[in-house]
Amino acid sequence: MNLTLKNLYDDFRDPKTIKALAELITQEAEKLDRPVNIMEVCGGHTHTIMKYGLKQLLPEKIRFIHGPGCPVCIMPKERIDHAYILAQQPDVILVTLGDMIKVPGSKGSLQQARSQGADVRFVYSPLDALKIARENPEKRVIFFAIGFETTTPMTAALIDRAEKLGVTNLLYHINHVTVPEVMRELIDSRDEHIDSYNNRIDAFIGPSHVSVIAGAKIYREFPERYGRPVVVSGFEPVDVMEGVLMLVRQFTQGRCELEIQYRRSVTMEGNLSAQRQIDKFFEKRELFKWRGLGNIPHSALKLREAYAHLDAEKVYGEQLPVEEIEDHKLCICGDILRGMAEPTECQVFGTACTPSKPLGSCMVSSEGACAAYYKYGDLLQRRSDR
Amino acid sequence: MKKTITLAQGNGGAENHALIKEIFWRHLGNEILDRGEDAAVLEALERPAFTTDSFTISPLFFPGGDIGKLSVCGTCNDLAMMGAQPRYLSLSVVIEEGFELRMLEKIVRSIKKELPHNDALIVSGDTKVVPRGTVDGLFITTSGIGERRCEGIGISQIQPGDAIVVSRDIGRHGAAIFAAREGMELESALESDCASLWPQVASLLEAGIKPHALRDATRGGLAAVLNEWAEANNLCIEVEEEEIPVSNEVRGICELLGFEPAFLANEGTFVLALDPADVPLALEILEAFPGGEEAMRIGEVKGDYPGKVVLNSPWGTRRFLDWPTGELLPRIC
Ligand code: SF4
Ligand code: SF4
């Protein structure tokens, strides 16, 4: 990997540009006759908004609602228990990505499993799982795959590569989830008690990395069917601010459209060959339980029948429990993931629940809303407002 | 065949003695160590300071240093941060069976090379060999005694109005280790900042600067030091994001992996709390050292959030710079 590192961040954090955008948004927002609630679906955006203090730059009328967009946050305890149990099977190495190892299941986190002697490893790229499998031919390596549309192609590439190389000791536990279904669920749920937040979301900011793969087209239905504009934005502060400006302009100009802010690499169609490869290995699940949100139809992927022999869920079916597990009573992650509550409304926020001792997953992932509020201190803004 | 360490070399007998003589004494010998007694007999120090640290690092050799250099710098820097000149060190090495002799010698050589920067001697040592798999290559523990050259340096001396200065750009060690571990090839060579800090501290003291507190920003990085200071004194430290020196390479790695430079480890970078009037001279002195051109005043002790560190962005927003938590893990996508 050879990098031109400076290109990664230059320009997109330019103070002058950020301030100018804040000014434009403020001017534009004056024309609004009511506040606009913008949901950022992805935790990456939540993170940017909190880390760079963007809320502090925006007028009252523009409000952010934090969405369900972090695959770590939304992983239900049942599935983490699967990982935990798999990690403890004889001769198994469990491999997963980043933050996942910190999330508590009902038996503990993968980190705890590791401290008890289980072989749990985290990797930067799914392809590293292949390396581990080849280096440990006498073991079974299970890749616990997580992530939205963004990481799915990497898992598909991993399976493809392993197949071509004839690696047989690599299995997969697939937890890939998809963004449009959960967005639809938030607006259009058939679940009667979710109706309460039905009308709070006025618009969406869509994550660019998802659309690099899946294309912006996956959001078409939101302006068209649900009357919610969507702007697909990048993750730098300049990107988010520009995305907000584009949304506000849609409101002041009476438009409701799907727009792309992140033209640097997002197209309507996305990466077709990645989509084909995903299609080759995966199909939709009937139902997938999202932590805090319940079962959402067709919102996740599983391995196709032809690859059942590689599916850890099937191979270890006997050992893996299927019962649902309740979350901690005081934890309001569910409401937060739906955009109904803010982290600071949780009774145990920052007291019984902190990043080093998380009760819920919103505090675990560094991109969870609770963790972002705790770390970057939305408290700060509130206190100085007084 | 490569010569490797065997369990017999840790047996306390002839092989053990030969290893110690051939490798450790040969390179590190001095009048006190050469006596080969059970304990080093030292001359009395006036205002002694004492510290200890263990070093376990992977990889053992990294751009800009290795575990040997690190084990000298780390302990000596802890002394230097109390205004103490490092004098005597002990060196305890736990080696995994099968470790390459050549590597061990390389490590000992770099220990030898680093000692003079601190005017310190190894006066006592120990070597253990453990079965393969019980340690990852080799662990080193160094303890050090130094002599305080300046009274009254310490966390409790930090006061409202103090300026906060960093001695050079931050995050290099952490970023270099990540890059080395992950085999990333960077455009320009990123090296750890691993270095002895006593020369810098000595120059500051000689120039009559009396810092209120000094701290090398090792594990937990700049963020941990500032939070520790703020919390211990229940003061608020405000820093300007724009002023914090970070190299392009470090920033790039942080972007890729989702880290913050302020959380990354340093092994030759320190933070100073001092009288604002002393800042210009302090910066001038620091500039003369490698990396010191990047020395910066990054903030001051003031503000409305006692016990907290506030980071001001160049576009006018504010947030906390919190303690780093848990293992540093890269973001998922
Ligand atoms: S892991 Fe982070 S960046 Fe990736 S989808 Fe989740 S919240 Fe967004
Ligand atoms: S603060 Fe903790 S317990 Fe409360 S909602 Fe957030 S993660 Fe759940």
Side-chain angles (χ1 to χ4, degrees), chain B residues 237-259:
Chain B
I237 298 181
E238 265 191 49
V239 288
E240 305 300 319
E241 198 168 357
E242 228 173 350
E243 306 297 326
I244 300 175
V246 184
S247 70
N248 287 336
E249 295 89 345
V250 170
R251 209 182 283 285
I253 288 185
C254 284
E255 281 314 307
L256 271 181
L257 301 177
F259 297 150

PDB file of all heavy atoms in Angstrom, chain B residues 237-259:
ATOM      1  N   ILE B 237      -7.751  22.631  31.280  1.00  0.00           N
ATOM      2  CA  ILE B 237      -6.691  22.950  30.321  1.00  0.00           C
ATOM      3  C   ILE B 237      -7.340  23.148  28.959  1.00  0.00           C
ATOM      4  O   ILE B 237      -8.098  22.301  28.504  1.00  0.00           O
ATOM      5  CB  ILE B 237      -5.634  21.829  30.266  1.00  0.00           C
ATOM      6  CG1 ILE B 237      -4.962  21.688  31.631  1.00  0.00           C
ATOM      7  CG2 ILE B 237      -4.605  22.101  29.172  1.00  0.00           C
ATOM      8  CD1 ILE B 237      -3.888  20.625  31.698  1.00  0.00           C
ATOM      9  N   GLU B 238      -7.055  24.285  28.353  1.00  0.00           N
ATOM     10  CA  GLU B 238      -7.619  24.548  27.026  1.00  0.00           C
ATOM     11  C   GLU B 238      -6.508  24.510  25.996  1.00  0.00           C
ATOM     12  O   GLU B 238      -5.502  25.205  26.151  1.00  0.00           O
ATOM     13  CB  GLU B 238      -8.281  25.927  26.988  1.00  0.00           C
ATOM     14  CG  GLU B 238      -9.752  25.836  27.264  1.00  0.00           C
ATOM     15  CD  GLU B 238     -10.505  27.119  26.971  1.00  0.00           C
ATOM     16  OE1 GLU B 238     -10.324  27.700  25.880  1.00  0.00           O
ATOM     17  OE2 GLU B 238     -11.283  27.508  27.852  1.00  0.00           O
ATOM     18  N   VAL B 239      -6.693  23.713  24.960  1.00  0.00           N
ATOM     19  CA  VAL B 239      -5.675  23.670  23.919  1.00  0.00           C
ATOM     20  C   VAL B 239      -6.276  24.027  22.561  1.00  0.00           C
ATOM     21  O   VAL B 239      -7.471  23.834  22.321  1.00  0.00           O
ATOM     22  CB  VAL B 239      -4.967  22.293  23.829  1.00  0.00           C
ATOM     23  CG1 VAL B 239      -4.044  22.078  25.004  1.00  0.00           C
ATOM     24  CG2 VAL B 239      -5.964  21.164  23.755  1.00  0.00           C
ATOM     25  N   GLU B 240      -5.423  24.567  21.710  1.00  0.00           N
ATOM     26  CA  GLU B 240      -5.846  24.969  20.369  1.00  0.00           C
ATOM     27  C   GLU B 240      -5.449  23.861  19.406  1.00  0.00           C
ATOM     28  O   GLU B 240      -4.268  23.579  19.233  1.00  0.00           O
ATOM     29  CB  GLU B 240      -5.155  26.272  19.946  1.00  0.00           C
ATOM     30  CG  GLU B 240      -5.337  27.425  20.906  1.00  0.00           C
ATOM     31  CD  GLU B 240      -6.803  27.799  21.085  1.00  0.00           C
ATOM     32  OE1 GLU B 240      -7.541  27.798  20.066  1.00  0.00           O
ATOM     33  OE2 GLU B 240      -7.212  28.073  22.230  1.00  0.00           O
ATOM     34  N   GLU B 241      -6.446  23.262  18.780  1.00  0.00           N
ATOM     35  CA  GLU B 241      -6.191  22.145  17.884  1.00  0.00           C
ATOM     36  C   GLU B 241      -5.153  22.507  16.815  1.00  0.00           C
ATOM     37  O   GLU B 241      -4.260  21.730  16.501  1.00  0.00           O
ATOM     38  CB  GLU B 241      -7.509  21.746  17.222  1.00  0.00           C
ATOM     39  CG  GLU B 241      -7.450  20.378  16.622  1.00  0.00           C
ATOM     40  CD  GLU B 241      -8.825  19.875  16.218  1.00  0.00           C
ATOM     41  OE1 GLU B 241      -9.833  20.574  16.464  1.00  0.00           O
ATOM     42  OE2 GLU B 241      -8.875  18.784  15.649  1.00  0.00           O
ATOM     43  N   GLU B 242      -5.302  23.706  16.289  1.00  0.00           N
ATOM     44  CA  GLU B 242      -4.428  24.160  15.207  1.00  0.00           C
ATOM     45  C   GLU B 242      -2.958  24.208  15.612  1.00  0.00           C
ATOM     46  O   GLU B 242      -2.068  24.094  14.780  1.00  0.00           O
ATOM     47  CB  GLU B 242      -4.847  25.587  14.864  1.00  0.00           C
ATOM     48  CG  GLU B 242      -5.032  25.842  13.432  1.00  0.00           C
ATOM     49  CD  GLU B 242      -5.616  27.251  13.259  1.00  0.00           C
ATOM     50  OE1 GLU B 242      -6.016  27.887  14.258  1.00  0.00           O
ATOM     51  OE2 GLU B 242      -5.650  27.695  12.123  1.00  0.00           O
ATOM     52  N   GLU B 243      -2.713  24.438  16.883  1.00  0.00           N
ATOM     53  CA  GLU B 243      -1.339  24.621  17.337  1.00  0.00           C
ATOM     54  C   GLU B 243      -0.631  23.291  17.615  1.00  0.00           C
ATOM     55  O   GLU B 243       0.578  23.252  17.761  1.00  0.00           O
ATOM     56  CB  GLU B 243      -1.300  25.467  18.613  1.00  0.00           C
ATOM     57  CG  GLU B 243      -2.007  26.809  18.514  1.00  0.00           C
ATOM     58  CD  GLU B 243      -1.361  27.721  17.486  1.00  0.00           C
ATOM     59  OE1 GLU B 243      -0.132  27.646  17.340  1.00  0.00           O
ATOM     60  OE2 GLU B 243      -2.094  28.478  16.820  1.00  0.00           O
ATOM     61  N   ILE B 244      -1.391  22.215  17.737  1.00  0.00           N
ATOM     62  CA  ILE B 244      -0.766  20.941  18.097  1.00  0.00           C
ATOM     63  C   ILE B 244       0.007  20.405  16.899  1.00  0.00           C
ATOM     64  O   ILE B 244      -0.564  20.133  15.849  1.00  0.00           O
ATOM     65  CB  ILE B 244      -1.821  19.905  18.538  1.00  0.00           C
ATOM     66  CG1 ILE B 244      -2.582  20.441  19.749  1.00  0.00           C
ATOM     67  CG2 ILE B 244      -1.173  18.564  18.862  1.00  0.00           C
ATOM     68  CD1 ILE B 244      -3.736  19.561  20.200  1.00  0.00           C
ATOM     69  N   PRO B 245       1.322  20.269  17.031  1.00  0.00           N
ATOM     70  CA  PRO B 245       2.112  19.852  15.875  1.00  0.00           C
ATOM     71  C   PRO B 245       1.957  18.354  15.576  1.00  0.00           C
ATOM     72  O   PRO B 245       2.157  17.515  16.451  1.00  0.00           O
ATOM     73  CB  PRO B 245       3.561  20.170  16.285  1.00  0.00           C
ATOM     74  CG  PRO B 245       3.539  20.212  17.786  1.00  0.00           C
ATOM     75  CD  PRO B 245       2.146  20.539  18.221  1.00  0.00           C
ATOM     76  N   VAL B 246       1.584  18.053  14.346  1.00  0.00           N
ATOM     77  CA  VAL B 246       1.432  16.656  13.919  1.00  0.00           C
ATOM     78  C   VAL B 246       2.027  16.554  12.515  1.00  0.00           C
ATOM     79  O   VAL B 246       1.731  17.394  11.661  1.00  0.00           O
ATOM     80  CB  VAL B 246      -0.056  16.240  13.835  1.00  0.00           C
ATOM     81  CG1 VAL B 246      -0.172  14.769  13.478  1.00  0.00           C
ATOM     82  CG2 VAL B 246      -0.788  16.524  15.133  1.00  0.00           C
ATOM     83  N   SER B 247       2.858  15.554  12.278  1.00  0.00           N
ATOM     84  CA  SER B 247       3.437  15.429  10.946  1.00  0.00           C
ATOM     85  C   SER B 247       2.395  14.894   9.974  1.00  0.00           C
ATOM     86  O   SER B 247       1.421  14.259  10.376  1.00  0.00           O
ATOM     87  CB  SER B 247       4.638  14.480  10.979  1.00  0.00           C
ATOM     88  OG  SER B 247       4.168  13.166  11.189  1.00  0.00           O
ATOM     89  N   ASN B 248       2.624  15.121   8.693  1.00  0.00           N
ATOM     90  CA  ASN B 248       1.689  14.628   7.685  1.00  0.00           C
ATOM     91  C   ASN B 248       1.548  13.112   7.722  1.00  0.00           C
ATOM     92  O   ASN B 248       0.465  12.580   7.542  1.00  0.00           O
ATOM     93  CB  ASN B 248       2.151  15.030   6.290  1.00  0.00           C
ATOM     94  CG  ASN B 248       1.930  16.502   6.043  1.00  0.00           C
ATOM     95  OD1 ASN B 248       1.061  17.109   6.682  1.00  0.00           O
ATOM     96  ND2 ASN B 248       2.709  17.076   5.158  1.00  0.00           N
ATOM     97  N   GLU B 249       2.657  12.432   7.948  1.00  0.00           N
ATOM     98  CA  GLU B 249       2.610  10.961   7.959  1.00  0.00           C
ATOM     99  C   GLU B 249       1.709  10.475   9.096  1.00  0.00           C
ATOM    100  O   GLU B 249       0.889   9.586   8.921  1.00  0.00           O
ATOM    101  CB  GLU B 249       4.000  10.356   8.160  1.00  0.00           C
ATOM    102  CG  GLU B 249       4.974  10.616   7.038  1.00  0.00           C
ATOM    103  CD  GLU B 249       5.738  11.913   7.251  1.00  0.00           C
ATOM    104  OE1 GLU B 249       5.322  12.729   8.102  1.00  0.00           O
ATOM    105  OE2 GLU B 249       6.740  12.120   6.563  1.00  0.00           O
ATOM    106  N   VAL B 250       1.898  11.073  10.259  1.00  0.00           N
ATOM    107  CA  VAL B 250       1.107  10.648  11.416  1.00  0.00           C
ATOM    108  C   VAL B 250      -0.369  10.958  11.174  1.00  0.00           C
ATOM    109  O   VAL B 250      -1.248  10.135  11.414  1.00  0.00           O
ATOM    110  CB  VAL B 250       1.603  11.331  12.705  1.00  0.00           C
ATOM    111  CG1 VAL B 250       0.642  11.084  13.855  1.00  0.00           C
ATOM    112  CG2 VAL B 250       2.994  10.831  13.053  1.00  0.00           C
ATOM    113  N   ARG B 251      -0.626  12.130  10.627  1.00  0.00           N
ATOM    114  CA  ARG B 251      -2.014  12.494  10.371  1.00  0.00           C
ATOM    115  C   ARG B 251      -2.648  11.522   9.374  1.00  0.00           C
ATOM    116  O   ARG B 251      -3.782  11.097   9.538  1.00  0.00           O
ATOM    117  CB  ARG B 251      -2.094  13.924   9.846  1.00  0.00           C
ATOM    118  CG  ARG B 251      -3.383  14.601  10.197  1.00  0.00           C
ATOM    119  CD  ARG B 251      -3.456  15.985   9.620  1.00  0.00           C
ATOM    120  NE  ARG B 251      -2.676  16.972  10.338  1.00  0.00           N
ATOM    121  CZ  ARG B 251      -3.027  17.490  11.514  1.00  0.00           C
ATOM    122  NH1 ARG B 251      -4.128  17.103  12.101  1.00  0.00           N
ATOM    123  NH2 ARG B 251      -2.276  18.384  12.096  1.00  0.00           N
ATOM    124  N   GLY B 252      -1.876  11.161   8.375  1.00  0.00           N
ATOM    125  CA  GLY B 252      -2.392  10.240   7.366  1.00  0.00           C
ATOM    126  C   GLY B 252      -2.743   8.887   7.957  1.00  0.00           C
ATOM    127  O   GLY B 252      -3.803   8.324   7.684  1.00  0.00           O
ATOM    128  N   ILE B 253      -1.858   8.370   8.797  1.00  0.00           N
ATOM    129  CA  ILE B 253      -2.123   7.068   9.413  1.00  0.00           C
ATOM    130  C   ILE B 253      -3.366   7.153  10.297  1.00  0.00           C
ATOM    131  O   ILE B 253      -4.199   6.256  10.321  1.00  0.00           O
ATOM    132  CB  ILE B 253      -0.886   6.615  10.219  1.00  0.00           C
ATOM    133  CG1 ILE B 253       0.198   6.215   9.230  1.00  0.00           C
ATOM    134  CG2 ILE B 253      -1.220   5.457  11.146  1.00  0.00           C
ATOM    135  CD1 ILE B 253       1.428   5.640   9.846  1.00  0.00           C
ATOM    136  N   CYS B 254      -3.491   8.267  10.988  1.00  0.00           N
ATOM    137  CA  CYS B 254      -4.675   8.448  11.835  1.00  0.00           C
ATOM    138  C   CYS B 254      -5.940   8.452  10.992  1.00  0.00           C
ATOM    139  O   CYS B 254      -6.952   7.873  11.362  1.00  0.00           O
ATOM    140  CB  CYS B 254      -4.572   9.751  12.613  1.00  0.00           C
ATOM    141  SG  CYS B 254      -3.433   9.606  13.993  1.00  0.00           S
ATOM    142  N   GLU B 255      -5.874   9.118   9.854  1.00  0.00           N
ATOM    143  CA  GLU B 255      -7.036   9.153   8.968  1.00  0.00           C
ATOM    144  C   GLU B 255      -7.416   7.751   8.531  1.00  0.00           C
ATOM    145  O   GLU B 255      -8.579   7.359   8.558  1.00  0.00           O
ATOM    146  CB  GLU B 255      -6.720   9.978   7.714  1.00  0.00           C
ATOM    147  CG  GLU B 255      -6.784  11.444   7.921  1.00  0.00           C
ATOM    148  CD  GLU B 255      -8.026  11.859   8.671  1.00  0.00           C
ATOM    149  OE1 GLU B 255      -9.143  11.484   8.254  1.00  0.00           O
ATOM    150  OE2 GLU B 255      -7.880  12.531   9.704  1.00  0.00           O
ATOM    151  N   LEU B 256      -6.407   7.000   8.140  1.00  0.00           N
ATOM    152  CA  LEU B 256      -6.666   5.664   7.625  1.00  0.00           C
ATOM    153  C   LEU B 256      -7.288   4.761   8.678  1.00  0.00           C
ATOM    154  O   LEU B 256      -8.187   3.983   8.406  1.00  0.00           O
ATOM    155  CB  LEU B 256      -5.342   5.018   7.203  1.00  0.00           C
ATOM    156  CG  LEU B 256      -4.893   5.261   5.799  1.00  0.00           C
ATOM    157  CD1 LEU B 256      -3.600   4.527   5.564  1.00  0.00           C
ATOM    158  CD2 LEU B 256      -5.955   4.759   4.827  1.00  0.00           C
ATOM    159  N   LEU B 257      -6.772   4.863   9.883  1.00  0.00           N
ATOM    160  CA  LEU B 257      -7.170   3.895  10.894  1.00  0.00           C
ATOM    161  C   LEU B 257      -8.194   4.449  11.872  1.00  0.00           C
ATOM    162  O   LEU B 257      -8.681   3.732  12.744  1.00  0.00           O
ATOM    163  CB  LEU B 257      -5.940   3.406  11.667  1.00  0.00           C
ATOM    164  CG  LEU B 257      -4.865   2.747  10.801  1.00  0.00           C
ATOM    165  CD1 LEU B 257      -3.666   2.375  11.636  1.00  0.00           C
ATOM    166  CD2 LEU B 257      -5.410   1.523  10.087  1.00  0.00           C
ATOM    167  N   GLY B 258      -8.503   5.717  11.727  1.00  0.00           N
ATOM    168  CA  GLY B 258      -9.510   6.286  12.619  1.00  0.00           C
ATOM    169  C   GLY B 258      -8.989   6.595  14.014  1.00  0.00           C
ATOM    170  O   GLY B 258      -9.713   6.480  14.988  1.00  0.00           O
ATOM    171  N   PHE B 259      -7.728   6.962  14.118  1.00  0.00           N
ATOM    172  CA  PHE B 259      -7.173   7.342  15.417  1.00  0.00           C
ATOM    173  C   PHE B 259      -7.056   8.854  15.533  1.00  0.00           C
ATOM    174  O   PHE B 259      -7.108   9.562  14.549  1.00  0.00           O
ATOM    175  CB  PHE B 259      -5.764   6.774  15.591  1.00  0.00           C
ATOM    176  CG  PHE B 259      -5.715   5.282  15.594  1.00  0.00           C
ATOM    177  CD1 PHE B 259      -4.590   4.619  15.140  1.00  0.00           C
ATOM    178  CD2 PHE B 259      -6.785   4.538  16.060  1.00  0.00           C
ATOM    179  CE1 PHE B 259      -4.531   3.238  15.150  1.00  0.00           C
ATOM    180  CE2 PHE B 259      -6.727   3.154  16.074  1.00  0.00           C
ATOM    181  CZ  PHE B 259      -5.603   2.499  15.618  1.00  0.00           C
TER     182      PHE B 259
END
